[in-house]
Amino acid sequence: MATLIQSYEQQYSVLTADITAKIGRLKTGNEENREQLSREIHANFEEANDLLEQLELESRGAGAGSRVAAYRAELQRVRDEYRSVTTNSNNYNIDSEEVYDEWGGANEQRRKLLDNSERLERAGKSLTEGYRVVLETEQIGAAVLQDLSVQRETIQRSRGRLRETDEQLNRSSRLMNSMIVRALQDRFILVMVFLVIGVLLCAGLYFSVT
């Protein structure tokens, strides 16, 4: 990243030096090559703007400070110098004011594009953060559902044990009732036997006396 930034800075320095040299030639050049020099300078300005945009984007991506503001100020000074040369030239055929306004409009459009790029980048970061929060929420929800599922299984097992215990208690109750009934029956039989024996004894005594 740092190597790429240095490469852009070197290219920008070469371009500004070339523009300055061409402006110097424009001051002393003859009328025949003024238009050609102006077109070349205009193309150099466009290329310099593109380089500064690339440099600014790379600097932002690297998260480091940059000298783009100083470079833009320097480029603006060179433009002012070029504008002064073209304005002071009486026999110049190209409308320098129109060219300068076009550059200004192009710079404003580039600035708006950069601002839009920043907003899109911030929106993208917000979406990424929102997506991360959604994923975390989904993970928490999945963990909660898993805990609820485990608790449900535990409750179901507890209910099953309660049913088994209730069934065992019912069986024990029925068994106890059966044992009580049998004990009552046995007692009734014993009482009946004692009564029969008593009756027989009484009858034997009666017949023996008579």
Side-chain angles (χ1 to χ4, degrees):
M1 186 71 69
T3 304
L4 186 59
I5 292 174
Q6 292 175 357
S7 175
Y8 285 147
E9 289 179 343
Q10 291 175 358
Q11 294 179 38
Y12 170 76
S13 299
V14 171
L15 270 175
T16 52
D18 188 25
I19 293 171
T20 302
K22 288 178 179 178
I23 291 174
R25 288 168 54 192
L26 188 63
K27 291 179 182 179
T28 59
N30 55 37
E31 186 176 353
E32 294 179 356
N33 61 7
R34 281 182 180 273
E35 186 175 352
Q36 180 63 29
L37 280 175
S38 179
R39 295 183 186 280
E40 292 177 0
I41 291 171
H42 186 275
N44 291 146
F45 275 131
E46 293 292 334
E47 187 175 356
N49 282 328
D50 293 338
L51 279 174
L52 289 181
E53 290 176 5
Q54 292 295 327
L55 180 59
E56 187 171 5
L57 290 174
E58 292 295 333
S59 299
R60 289 177 182 174
S66 66
R67 294 183 291 273
V68 176
Y71 291 151
R72 290 190 184 280
E74 180 184 3
L75 188 62
Q76 185 63 39
R77 181 187 58 79
V78 177
R79 283 176 178 166
D80 292 338
E81 182 181 357
Y82 171 72
R83 185 181 184 187
S84 176
V85 172
T86 55
T87 301
N88 293 332
S89 178
N90 295 326
N91 296 323
Y92 196 55
N93 294 325
I94 297 178
D95 190 351
S96 60
E97 291 290 338
E98 182 179 356
V99 172
Y100 190 81
D101 291 340
E102 289 178 357
W103 286 336
N107 286 332
E108 182 64 23
Q109 290 179 357
R110 290 190 180 91
R111 176 58 58 185
K112 290 180 180 179
L113 287 174
L114 287 174
D115 292 339
N116 290 334
S117 298
E118 290 180 357
R119 285 195 292 270
L120 288 174
E121 184 177 357
R122 288 194 296 269
K125 290 181 179 179
S126 299
L127 289 174
T128 302
E129 182 66 18
Y131 181 68
R132 185 183 64 81
V133 172
V134 169
L135 287 179
E136 291 180 355
T137 305
E138 183 179 358
Q139 292 175 356
I140 293 172
V144 171
L145 289 176
Q146 186 175 2
D147 292 339
L148 291 175
S149 177
V150 172
Q151 293 176 4
R152 180 182 179 183
E153 291 178 357
T154 303
I155 292 172
Q156 288 178 347
R157 287 196 297 269
S158 299
R159 287 180 177 176
R161 291 172 183 172
L162 287 174
R163 292 193 188 96
E164 292 176 358
T165 303
D166 187 58
E167 290 176 358
Q168 290 176 359
L169 289 174
N170 290 331
R171 286 196 297 269
S172 298
S173 178
R174 287 194 298 269
L175 180 61
M176 289 294 295
N177 292 331
S178 177
M179 291 175 65
I180 291 171
V181 170
R182 288 179 181 177
L184 291 174
Q185 290 176 351
D186 292 339
R187 287 183 181 182
F188 178 75
I189 292 171
L190 287 174
V191 170
M192 292 301 295
V193 168
F194 287 143
L195 287 174
V196 171
I197 292 173
V199 171
L200 291 175
L201 287 174
C202 291
L205 290 172
Y206 174 75
F207 286 114
S208 64
V209 171
T210 58

